Amino acid sequence: MRAFSYERAISVEAAAKAVSANPDAKFIAGGTNLLDLMKLEIETPTHLIDVNGLALDTIETMSDGGLRIGALVRNTDLAANETVRRDYGLLSRALLAGASGQLRNRATTAGNLLQRTRCPYFYDPNQPCNKREPGTGCSAITGFSRQHAIVGASDACIATHPGDMAVAMRALDARVETVTAEGRTRSIAIADFHCLPGDTPHIETVLDRGELIIAVTLPAPIGGRQIYKKVRDRASYAFALVSVAAVIQPDGSGTVAIGGVAHKPWRIEAADDVLRDGAKAVASVLLADAKPTEQNSYKVDLVERTLAAVIRDARD
């Protein structure tokens, strides 16, 4: 790991300004992803700004009935929160499906949204990777692609978003609250927060330089059966091959998002409209533009089978 300097932020505005002014600075909270990347010299910040003291770790009910989750709320605390378990069970289940208990104790809400892909070629500095070094190429396209994207990818990158939490938040129509270096606040729909790779896979979110996440908000509870089903190679501490986050109402309507298949949590609202028609209809809309490789084409069928299991569980 390269040498770096360190400071504790004294305010949200000061933290945002400090990172904006220094192209080699980064925020740090739980550090569960950043420190690993620094050890491999994939991330090489020269200055870290610790935001843990900014009192962004509360969960509050809003006046409209929704929920406001502070950026620094730990994954363990969020999953165990009584209101989340009662009204947003999908989110709690997705969090508990991720990582390990030790990591959930440290990982934050904002950090979870910002975690970077676990593509092995991204993690190997000896392999070309457009996400790590723009313009060098994508080793996954011609390499081992079993775990990679089948939809929303590009000729520059076929990596997937590794998280579980964001998939649930996509199904729940969450919004991300931020503060910019100029002190502006904005609210970003989770649908717009993560970027598809296109020709710039190194640009992963719509955040500006120095923009700091301060909270995630959820709309008022929508009820229904809330199910998160994750298919992976082993029972714990593994990333999704395919995951399904669904809220299904008694009349069969609802919302569906899937993970493990794209550069971002994947949801096509038109797929929600055919939820009553069954898994095959939903999958055909979600994966209408799928371009799997020979090694990951199994995901097309796996999405449909996982959707079928979720719909069956909801009806039962």
Side-chain angles (χ1 to χ4, degrees):
M1 185 182 291
R2 300 184 187 185
F4 59 89
S5 53
Y6 169 90
E7 70 172 288
R8 290 188 176 94
I10 57 173
S11 70
V12 168
E13 294 77 15
K17 286 181 180 178
V19 171
S20 176
N22 182 352
D24 294 321
K26 283 192 173 293
F27 302 118
I28 187 168
T32 57
N33 188 204
L34 177 61
L35 291 178
D36 284 343
L37 294 172
M38 289 174 65
K39 291 173 185 177
L40 294 170
E41 296 193 351
I42 294 169
E43 295 274 10
T44 56
T46 59
H47 187 60
L48 294 182
I49 298 173
D50 189 334
V51 296
N52 281 295
L54 297 183
L56 300 175
D57 58 352
T58 58
I59 302 173
E60 304 168 312
T61 301
M62 301 186 296
S63 59
D64 64 357
L67 201 66
R68 189 173 188 272
I69 303 161
L72 294 174
V73 173
R74 306 292 164 170
N75 285 180
T76 295
D77 296 331
L78 183 56
N81 180 267
E82 182 179 352
T83 302
V84 173
R85 292 177 63 191
R86 182 187 67 233
D87 297 332
Y88 306 95
L90 173 59
L91 177 57
S92 181
R93 294 180 180 103
L95 285 163
L96 293 174
S100 65
Q102 295 92 330
L103 285 172
R104 292 194 295 269
N105 289 342
R106 289 297 304 161
T108 63
T109 300
N112 197 311
L113 288 176
L114 294 171
Q115 63 181 303
R116 306 198 70 184
T117 184
R118 271 27 177 223
C119 172
Y121 298 104
F122 171 72
Y123 268 76
D124 184 354
N126 296 311
Q127 299 288 338
C129 173
N130 288 320
K131 184 179 286 293
R132 191 181 64 248
E133 294 183 58
T136 58
C138 176
S139 299
I141 290 177
T142 55
F144 184 66
S145 58
R146 176 176 175 269
Q147 293 183 299
H148 288 75
I150 60 173
V151 66
S154 72
D155 292 337
C157 181
I158 60 171
T160 57
H161 175 77
D164 296 286
M165 184 191 78
V167 182
M169 287 185 168
R170 181 69 181 91
L172 293 168
D173 289 317
R175 300 189 70 87
V176 183
E177 291 185 1
T178 67
V179 170
T180 68
E182 297 76 32
R184 278 189 304 110
T185 60
R186 64 169 172 160
S187 177
I188 307 164
I190 191 74
D192 302 323
F193 183 76
H194 295 100
C195 301
L196 290 178
D199 296 326
T200 56
H202 59 291
I203 301 175
E204 297 175 344
T205 72
V206 297
L207 295 179
D208 294 329
R209 179 71 194 169
E211 192 168 5
L212 177 65
I213 298 173
I214 57 173
V216 173
T217 60
L218 299 175
I222 56 176
R225 288 294 306 276
Q226 300 190 13
I227 298 173
Y228 187 77
K229 190 174 289 290
K230 179 177 181 177
V231 182
R232 45 188 163 176
D233 285 326
R234 57 181 184 269
S236 65
Y237 204 63
F239 299 101
L241 298 173
V242 163
S243 64
V244 172
V247 180
I248 302 180
Q249 303 297 338
D251 65 358
S253 64
T255 62
V256 174
I258 57 176
V261 299
H263 210 252
K264 61 189 290 185
W266 194 251
R267 179 180 169 195
I268 304 294
E269 277 72 4
D272 298 342
D273 299 335
V274 297
L275 190 54
R276 293 186 184 91
D277 298 329
K280 189 175 186 66
V282 176
S284 66
V285 176
L286 287 171
L287 304 181
D289 297 321
K291 296 179 180 178
T293 68
E294 182 178 351
Q295 296 172 16
N296 66 18
S297 59
Y298 72 92
K299 288 192 177 188
V300 175
D301 291 332
L302 187 56
V303 166
E304 184 179 333
R305 292 200 301 271
T306 308
L307 281 165
V310 167
I311 292 171
R312 183 180 62 248
D313 288 351
R315 289 173 177 168
D316 291 344

